[in-house]
Amino acid sequence: MRVDNGNWFHQRPLCDIDTGQRGTGIVHVIKLQLDVNHDGIMDTSFAGPDNTSYRRPFVFWINNDFDQPESLLLPERDVEKRALPDHAYGRIRCQRNLEDFARLWICGLPAFPLYGGYTISLSWRNTSGEPRIRLYAAYENDGGIRYLTDTNVAAMQAAAIWTGQTWVGCGASLAEIAPGQPYTWPAPGRACSQHYLFEGSGVGYGELVLTVRQGTNVLAETSAWIDLRDVKDLYERCYINVVTSTNRPDFWASTNWVENPKLAAADEDQHVIVYVHGFDNTVGSWLVRSDTVFKRLYWAGYSGKFASVRWPCKLLPPKSLDPFSYNLSELYAFKSAYGFKDYLNQLRCRFPSYRLHILAHSQGAAVVSEALRLGAPFDTVILAQAAMPASCYDVNAPSDADLVARDAGPFITPEWQPMGYRGVYTNIAGRLLNFFNTADGILRGAWMWDQKFNKPDGAAYALNYFYDGTNGWRVLDVGLIRLVTDPQESRAMISRSRTWAIGVQGPVSGQAQGVIGSGVDLQASFGFGYSRAEHSALFTRPVQTVRQYYRQVLIEIQPSQ
């Protein structure tokens, strides 16, 4: 028997499968293979980057989220809560669920005579915790990754038919393999290479062992070490709180607290990506989306650190009793910038040799941009369908005639920084990119409506703020007003943009947009569309249609040559 980095296999001659003669000297080397570095390529050598050992296991997350299948009214989506986690169903209920599945190859397995007492089984040994996996037959004959990249292949992989007694098809689990609960193939060894998918169904660590027997005699063994975790063990989370007074003249960001990952990645690249969410995220929905971003960066081939930041955005009904809260949420975003700046400084101190990148979605761009204005460190910022005026970054951004016309009479507002938007972020020096969607229905619709009709704040309903041409004022009560001296409050609650949002307005002829050096047209590159879901397509779409989006993120964070 030979041992090679945790893979065990017998060197004794096996049966000559063609003639049935023994003692011919034929040796079949078998191997359990995983894509440890998740680059999409299986390295089947015994010393390559995809080899496992007890010191370097294959780390993956269990499938304990809630991927809701498509309905008549709604597409496939992640939901915050459901009675059962996905792995409990024993089948692949929708294409979206496939981002929680990894490949398992059995390499070098010979065909065995049908009658000879041969058995092939998978079992656990040397376990800690309760590692469990559910095994599925791979639809792809070559064991490829098209289940993550091709919707047609994903549909076939997820296909399962109810016979009246059980589910059958590639989307149905063959078995759950747990400590003391092995799986034995009913028809062993029909091919030299067999391909499977699996989902984690129990948290734990151990050695997954493939054993070939003839009767009670062990002919061969091979194994792979696997560490199954809750996905939240694999990335960092930062929470920022904002404290306000009754009349909102004073805001400050409290000290954030950080949940560190419980497991450091092996062979880690020296990059940190920090995700910052947008408007209308509960803590639960933020965590769901953070999990999704982490998983999709993983499948794009990312091997650095990932962190996600929670800031106290406002919520839409029915999650909130305040239906007109977008402007106040923007003010909370500006105030959260102080805590976010502190967090980025912490990251820079903790990982001084790492490059620091930020992915800011929608209103999260307000948190990030304000932190950068205040001097926060960074290497790359990607503004993902950012809900901030283009004029913040580019004083020459073209104005919109409707917005300019609206800014007259009783609804006049300051335009230029510091009390207005135009030019406020032109002091930022560094690599900024604009991931924009010219068809974005949220930015073209709701965001523009807010700028036209609800600036100053409350203009569409009960006026809360106003501007007299020189100063901004907050209406506290009948006959009682307060002078607005805080530029952040003025921008969020009083100033009207004269331009479209930067997330819907790309550069002209490939030129820079002020301090933003370049952009990616999400409609042209990835087909992002108009619907509300498309404003958050990086989460709402299944992985098969956005993997290239995340690969583009990884391209953009690489240092320029």
Side-chain angles (χ1 to χ4, degrees), residues 2-251:
R2 190 172 80 198
V3 180
D4 192 341
N5 288 333
N7 291 278
W8 302 60
F9 52 95
H10 283 268
Q11 287 290 88
R12 75 179 84 173
L14 297 182
C15 176
D16 185 330
I17 59 175
D18 293 323
T19 65
Q21 299 174 352
R22 297 183 181 275
T24 61
I26 296 176
V27 177
H28 295 278
V29 178
I30 61 175
K31 189 171 189 280
L32 279 182
Q33 185 64 59
L34 299 157
D35 187 6
V36 176
N37 64 356
H38 50 95
D39 64 354
I41 301 171
M42 288 286 204
D43 183 340
T44 57
S45 68
F46 282 92
D50 287 334
N51 200 36
T52 69
S53 70
Y54 73 94
R55 293 189 182 91
R56 187 176 182 268
F58 174 70
V59 179
F60 200 61
W61 57 89
I62 64 170
N63 188 12
N64 62 347
D65 62 354
F66 309 102
D67 292 316
Q68 193 73 28
E70 183 180 11
S71 66
L72 291 176
L73 299 177
L74 295 170
E76 297 179 356
R77 64 202 186 280
D78 281 339
V79 296
E80 294 179 39
K81 295 180 180 179
R82 198 175 59 234
L84 296 174
D86 285 336
H87 68 75
Y89 289 89
R91 61 188 177 91
I92 305 169
R93 301 173 69 239
C94 59
Q95 294 183 38
R96 185 183 189 89
N97 197 209
L98 285 167
E99 68 186 357
D100 298 314
F101 284 69
R103 293 180 294 161
L104 177 67
W105 287 8
I106 301 174
C107 303
L109 189 69
F112 292 91
L114 184 61
Y115 303 103
Y118 295 99
T119 59
I120 302 172
S121 63
L122 271 177
S123 61
W124 290 99
R125 71 183 175 199
N126 299 321
T127 59
S128 174
E130 188 70 17
R132 297 192 306 273
I133 63 171
R134 284 191 178 274
L135 193 67
Y136 295 75
Y139 170 75
E140 299 171 68
N141 291 330
D142 61 357
I145 63 167
R146 292 188 299 280
Y147 75 99
L148 294 170
T149 64
D150 186 313
T151 55
N152 293 321
V153 172
M156 297 305 297
Q157 180 63 66
I161 300 173
W162 178 248
T163 65
Q165 295 182 324
T166 186
W167 291 95
V168 297
C170 291
S173 172
L174 297 173
E176 184 175 45
I177 304 166
Q181 183 181 316
Y183 171 64
T184 300
W185 272 262
R190 291 178 297 177
C192 292
S193 179
Q194 297 192 40
H195 307 118
Y196 298 88
L197 299 182
F198 73 90
E199 60 179 338
S201 55
V203 172
Y205 172 91
E207 188 182 11
L208 186 67
V209 183
L210 179 79
T211 305
V212 180
R213 293 183 175 87
Q214 186 177 27
T216 59
N217 184 33
V218 175
L219 300 181
E221 268 186 2
T222 185
S223 68
W225 293 84
I226 300 176
D227 191 352
L228 296 169
R229 299 275 181 150
D230 188 292
V231 69
K232 293 177 181 59
D233 289 350
L234 306 179
Y235 69 90
E236 184 164 298
R237 290 166 300 285
C238 170
Y239 298 78
I240 298 172
N241 293 320
V242 172
V243 178
T244 71
S245 68
T246 303
N247 293 323
R248 306 203 298 254
D250 301 311
F251 293 76

Side-chain angles (χ1 to χ4, degrees), residues 302-323:
Y302 181 59
S303 296
K305 296 183 182 295
F306 176 68
S308 184
V309 172
R310 167 68 184 170
W311 60 277
C313 66
K314 297 292 286 182
L315 305 174
L316 288 171
K319 294 173 284 186
S320 169
L321 298 178
D322 181 3

Side-chain angles (χ1 to χ4, degrees), residues 455-473:
K455 288 292 192 85
D457 185 66
Y461 307 97
L463 191 64
N464 299 316
Y465 286 83
F466 68 92
Y467 184 67
D468 64 11
T470 303
N471 296 307
W473 300 89

